[in-house]
Amino acid sequence: MNSRVGHPLAYPALVTIGTLAITLAWVPFADPEQVGMLIAVAAVILGYTGFRFAVAVGYLPVGLRGGAREAAVRRVRQQHRLVSRSWLEITVDGRNRWLPVYFEPGLVTLVPRAAAIDGRKMSVDGRRMYPSGRVRDSEPVGRLVDNPERADPEAIERTGVGRRVLLDAQSAVVGPFAGLLWVYVAGGGVGAFVAATIVGAATATWLSAVSGSDPS
C-alpha cells in the first residue's frame, strides 16, 4: 500500500493534528494549572502551524516577485545535525538564492531546469513549490547533497509517512528534559513527568515536520 501523501503540506498537517490530539488527551487527568499549560502548548502548536502554512501559501522573496518569468532551479538536500531539508537553488539575473521548500516526492527526481515564477507562486515541472522558510543569499549551513543525474527508482518509495515520522522523531530525545522542566515549574509526580515527556517528544517531532523536513 502506498503510504505517501500527495500535497506537500499534508504531512505537516497530519503531524500537527496528531500532536494536538496527544497534548489535549492529557487534559482530563491534569490539575487546573497543568490544564492551562497544556492548552497553552496546544495554542502555540496551532498558531505556529497556521503561520508556517500562511507563509508557504503566500510568501515569495521580493527578488523573485513580479510578472511571469523563468529562473534556473536545482534542488539540493541539506543535512545539518538532525536537520534534513530540501532547498531550491534559484538563479535569477545571474544571482543565486536558496529557498527552503516543503518536501514532496517529485523533488527526489528533480534535475536542474527552468522554473516558472508568476506573482507569488513558483512552479517546477508543473508542480507548485511551497516555501518552508525565508530565502537566503548564501548557501545553507551543513552538508548539501545534489540530486543525482539519474535518480534511484526506489528513492521515492522510501519517502512514506512511516519513514518521515521515524526520522522526525529523532528530535524526541528532548522529551525527558521537557518532562523535568514541566515538573519543576508545575509540580506533580511520576504521572506528570510521563505526560510531559510524551507531550514534549510529540511537540519536538511536530516542530521538525512543520519546519519542512526531508525524508530522502
Side-chain angles (χ1 to χ4, degrees), residues 172-190:
V173 295
V174 305
F177 300 100
L180 290 173
L181 179 62
W182 183 294
V183 172
Y184 176 77
V185 173
V190 175

Side-chain angles (χ1 to χ4, degrees), residues 189-213:
V190 175
F193 172 77
V194 171
T197 297
I198 294 174
V199 170
T203 302
T205 302
W206 156 81
L207 184 59
S208 179
V210 82
S211 296
S213 59

